[in-house]
Amino acid sequence: MSTSRSESQSSPPAAQAAALGSFFEEVLDLLEAWKPRIEAIFSDPASPPARREVDCVVEPLAAALLGGTRYPLAGGGFVAAQGAVSDAPWHMAWWQGRSKEVQMLTSIESMGEAYSRREWFTVPLDTGASHITGPYVDFICTDEYTVTLTSPVSVAGDVVGVVGADVFVESLEEILLPGLRELHREASLVNRVGRVVVSADPQLAAGRLLVGDWRNAADPLTMELRGAEYAGRRAAVHACGQLPLAIAIPAR
């Protein structure tokens, strides 16, 4: 999940950026493997599952994901779309931490609204594609600075919810900082709108706007760095494959 120094020196920046995004790709692949099990219980639109049936399917999947040692994930599970389960307007089958403490929202409408407007929930439902949200403070479950990976679950063309996993920014630093430092002493992983997720520059905090929306930039290789301290410096921004993440490398 990180590149060696020799690989860093010999690989083009685009390849190095893709390698630094491999952690996220691997976690999304794990979530993708959950989908057939969950799709099966929603296969009959005339007889949607109850919350207990959803929990029985999702709990062992979440336990295996959170109990492993390869990925330092803070939480994971399935969040149903409105009206997808038979006995509640909303349902969140989500487990937190290695103790796998369950975090489930009740059928009260206002509780469902706590997540129904969040980016990690709405974007996969609207686009039909996987998404990475953050960094943000997760007020629903942990009150920690978090990145959330989510992917939609669809049955017969209808999205019934999202599968997802949380990772704390602190854990991402342990995974990504070695590779970022090898790439450049000021290299930063930024999200889709150019905010810092993790940076090799100790002065840059997570959430800081660094380069703006690189996806719509006229030339991502010459983007202006935001902030008076950069005094007009620019950065080359390299996408991490197809992820909504990129590596920003300040010009020397």
Side-chain angles (χ1 to χ4, degrees):
M1 288 182 282
S2 64
T3 55
S4 69
R5 183 172 298 277
S6 61
E7 289 172 334
S8 175
Q9 292 173 340
S10 62
S11 301
Q16 294 168 255
L20 284 165
S22 64
F23 167 82
F24 303 94
E25 294 279 13
E26 291 172 16
V27 174
L28 287 170
D29 285 345
L30 292 173
L31 295 174
E32 192 71 25
W34 290 12
K35 292 184 181 181
R37 297 278 302 278
I38 298 172
E39 289 165 358
I41 62 174
F42 286 94
S43 61
D44 183 359
S47 181
R51 289 172 292 173
R52 182 179 295 275
E53 187 177 358
V54 172
D55 296 345
C56 287
V57 170
V58 177
E59 183 174 12
L61 299 173
L65 182 70
L66 300 177
T69 58
R70 180 171 173 78
Y71 303 100
L73 300 174
F78 170 77
V79 184
Q82 186 175 17
V85 298
S86 63
D87 57 346
W90 303 95
H91 186 55
M92 189 176 193
W94 196 271
W95 283 260
Q96 283 302 127
R98 298 208 177 274
S99 64
K100 292 170 277 296
E101 175 187 356
V102 67
Q103 301 280 338
M104 292 187 207
L105 299 188
T106 72
S107 60
I108 300 173
E109 189 78 13
S110 61
M111 295 292 284
E113 291 177 357
Y115 65 77
S116 65
R117 298 179 182 176
R118 301 294 177 121
E119 179 185 326
W120 55 262
F121 185 73
T122 60
V123 172
L125 263 64
D126 292 342
T127 65
S130 298
H131 188 64
I132 299 174
T133 304
Y136 68 99
V137 178
D138 181 8
F139 291 114
I140 294 179
C141 293
T142 66
D143 290 333
E144 297 279 353
Y145 228 26
T146 302
V147 171
T148 299
L149 299 84
T150 43
S151 187
V153 179
S154 300
V155 176
D158 294 326
V159 179
V160 297
V162 301
V163 289
D166 288 335
V167 57
F168 293 150
V169 167
E170 182 179 7
S171 297
L172 286 175
E173 290 174 347
E174 296 178 8
I175 296 169
L176 299 177
L177 276 180
L180 286 170
R181 287 169 176 156
E182 289 176 359
L183 187 55
H184 189 280
R185 62 187 177 84
E186 295 178 272
S188 299
L189 177 72
V190 297
N191 66 11
R192 64 192 182 113
V193 295
R195 292 190 180 276
V196 172
V197 179
V198 175
S199 181
D201 182 351
Q203 302 302 313
L204 287 180
R208 157 76 184 271
L209 182 63
L210 186 63
V211 291
D213 189 343
W214 49 272
R215 300 166 303 160
N216 297 317
D219 183 2
L221 298 181
T222 59
M223 292 194 70
E224 182 182 358
L225 287 163
R226 306 293 182 89
E229 71 270 32
Y230 288 110
R233 288 180 67 191
R234 294 185 175 272
V237 180
H238 302 274
C240 298
Q242 299 302 308
L243 296 169
L245 300 169
I247 305 297
I249 305 173
R252 292 180 174 82

